[in-house]
């Protein structure tokens, strides 16, 4: 865990970055994740909601306003470090800090296989230290005098925006902003799941998946959520959606096999687990083939 002085420094650094760019979804996400790690769930929830409205793409603005209005009040979350998600603190940090920029190089935040080894790169502390190293705080503060902060959109203004769905062929800044916003809302949904607010978590998962439907691992985690809520049919639906988007992800096949095993369909579970093993082996071979050969001569 971070020391109190480091936590305050991290908060100030992220706040400075956000004053410079109010629509930086990942800075908002890291800021909220820092509060989640410190078990300040009410503060994290306020940050997530403010961030969602600040960074919302126009095609989901109305959906966001309706979703937030319809969500029930959150339960009082106990300040406990244990997680009902079946995730270790390290795994939860990985999920909460997964970035939209990693979508091209990763299939999403995966569950740990219980290796027990610590991974500094997965912690909020490391992310904060990276942020401090990559962002010159003094330069940010100096540039604030030359840059006007972008104000957040009000809910009334959001209602006036056109209602439209993003097309699969949309590229460029709009598509990138939509991806980062989807990951932000996904992290918010994970926090609500951790705080045992299933109705709020379900609404946010639907919002995150619907705003950028091509992110397979959001549907995978949505399926795991529904499975945890005793909804196997919903879980199957979202697992099928995830696999349809990315058939090479062994985690999705493995989760489906585990679901069928719990439902008493052992034969189906074995067949699906074979698919998971084949894809896991294929991924390992692919990663080994891509790795540089240490015996290769360069002369």
């Amino acid at each position: 865990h971070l020391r109190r002085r480091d936590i305050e420094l991290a908060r100030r650094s992220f706040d400075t970055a956000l004053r410079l760019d109010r629509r930086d979804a990942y800075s908002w996400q890291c800021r909220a994740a820092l509060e989640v790690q410190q078990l300040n769930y009410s503060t994290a929830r306020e940050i997530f909601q403010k961030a969602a409205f600040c960074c919302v793409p126009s095609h989901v603005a109305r959906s966001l306003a309706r979703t937030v209005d319809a969500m029930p009040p959150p339960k009082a979350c106990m300040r406990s470090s244990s997680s009902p998600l079946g995730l270790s603190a390290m795994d939860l940090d990985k999920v909460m800090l997964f970035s939209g920029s990693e979508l091209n190089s990763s299939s999403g935040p995966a569950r740990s296989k219980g290796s027990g080894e610590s991974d500094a790169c997965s912690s909020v502390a490391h992310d904060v230290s990276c942020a401090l190293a990559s962002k010159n705080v003094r330069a940010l503060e100096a540039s604030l005098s030359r840059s006007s902060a972008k104000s957040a959109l009000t809910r009334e203004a959001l209602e006036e925006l056109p209602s439209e769905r993003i097309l699969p062929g949309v590229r460029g800044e709009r598509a990138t902003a939509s991806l980062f916003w989807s990951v932000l809302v996904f992290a918010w949904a994970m926090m609500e799941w951790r705080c045992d607010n299933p109705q709020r978590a379900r609404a946010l998962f639907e919002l995150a998946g619907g705003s950028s439907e091509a992110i397979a691992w959001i549907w995978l985690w949505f399926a795991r959520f529904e499975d945890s809520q005793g909804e196997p049919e919903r879980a199957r639906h979202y697992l099928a959606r995830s696999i349809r988007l990315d058939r090479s992800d062994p985690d999705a096949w493995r989760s489906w096999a585990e679901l069928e095993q719990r439902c008493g369909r052992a034969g189906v579970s074995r067949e699906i687990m074979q698919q998971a093993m084949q894809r896991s082996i294929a991924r390992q071979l692919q990663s080994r083939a891509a790795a540089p050969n240490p015996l290769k001569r360069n002369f």
Side-chain angles (χ1 to χ4, degrees):
H1 290 278
L2 289 169
R3 293 176 297 178
R4 184 179 298 275
R5 183 186 64 181
D6 295 330
I7 293 169
E8 292 302 322
L9 178 59
R11 287 187 178 120
R12 288 197 300 270
S13 300
F14 283 127
D15 290 343
T16 301
L18 288 169
R19 284 198 299 273
L20 181 64
D21 185 2
R22 300 290 289 177
R23 297 182 65 84
D24 182 357
Y26 191 58
S27 289
W28 282 110
Q29 184 180 337
C30 292
R31 180 69 175 84
L34 181 64
E35 298 300 337
V36 171
Q37 192 194 46
Q38 301 305 310
L39 310 182
N40 299 326
Y41 299 115
S42 296
T43 302
R45 184 175 291 111
E46 292 174 2
I47 294 172
F48 272 127
Q49 181 166 331
K50 186 175 182 180
F53 279 99
C54 281
C55 306
V56 62
S58 62
H59 68 284
V60 289
R62 288 186 177 181
S63 298
L64 172 63
R66 286 194 295 266
T67 298
V68 172
D69 285 338
M71 283 195 300
K75 299 178 184 177
C77 190
M78 302 298 293
R79 290 178 60 86
S80 170
S81 58
S82 62
S83 172
L85 282 62
L87 297 174
S88 65
M90 184 180 69
D91 288 335
L92 185 61
D93 286 346
K94 288 181 180 179
V95 172
M96 296 293 292
L97 290 171
F98 194 76
S99 164
S101 63
E102 298 175 84
L103 291 174
N104 293 330
S105 60
S106 173
S107 60
R111 291 185 293 187
S112 172
K113 301 301 184 293
S115 62
E117 296 178 0
S118 62
D119 184 0
C121 292
S122 68
S123 66
V124 176
H126 180 270
D127 190 84
V128 169
S129 64
C130 289
L132 295 177
S134 62
K135 293 180 180 291
N136 189 321
V137 177
R138 292 182 181 178
L140 288 174
E141 292 174 344
S143 61
L144 285 175
S145 59
R146 302 189 298 271
S147 303
S148 58
K150 300 176 182 178
S151 58
L153 293 174
T154 63
R155 185 169 301 178
E156 291 75 13
L158 291 173
E159 290 290 349
E160 298 299 324
L161 291 173
S163 177
E164 56 176 334
R165 293 191 62 82
I166 191 166
L167 300 176
V170 171
R171 300 177 183 274
E173 293 183 1
R174 183 184 177 196
T176 301
S178 181
L179 289 176
F180 274 83
W181 187 83
S182 296
V183 177
L184 169 72
V185 176
F186 164 79
W188 185 7
M190 293 296 293
M191 189 203 74
E192 296 293 358
W193 182 12
R194 177 179 184 174
C195 292
D196 195 23
N197 291 307
Q199 290 178 294
R200 294 174 64 89
R202 181 176 288 114
L204 292 168
F205 274 124
E206 290 176 350
L207 188 62
S211 63
S212 188
E213 296 181 350
I215 306 180
W217 55 262
I218 286 184
W219 297 110
L220 171 58
W221 280 96
F222 197 179
R224 289 170 176 168
F225 163 77
E226 294 294 358
D227 186 22
S228 73
Q229 301 302 308
E231 297 285 352
E233 291 301 324
R234 288 185 177 183
R236 284 192 188 95
H237 172 73
Y238 295 129
L239 281 168
R241 201 163 189 170
S242 176
I243 289 172
R244 199 158 52 237
L245 290 168
D246 183 7
R247 297 183 63 85
S248 66
D249 184 8
D251 282 341
W253 293 93
R254 192 177 297 111
S255 294
W256 187 8
E258 293 169 355
L259 171 64
E260 299 299 347
Q261 180 70 31
R262 287 190 295 273
C263 291
R265 304 173 66 184
V268 176
S269 176
R270 282 194 297 271
E271 293 179 8
I272 299 173
M273 187 59 76
Q274 288 179 355
Q275 296 285 342
M277 293 175 62
Q278 291 174 8
R279 281 156 176 80
S280 180
I281 293 171
R283 177 166 291 184
Q284 292 177 15
L285 293 175
Q286 184 178 10
S287 62
R288 288 181 182 178
N293 184 354
L295 300 180
K296 182 180 179 181
R297 295 184 177 183
N298 296 321
F299 55 87

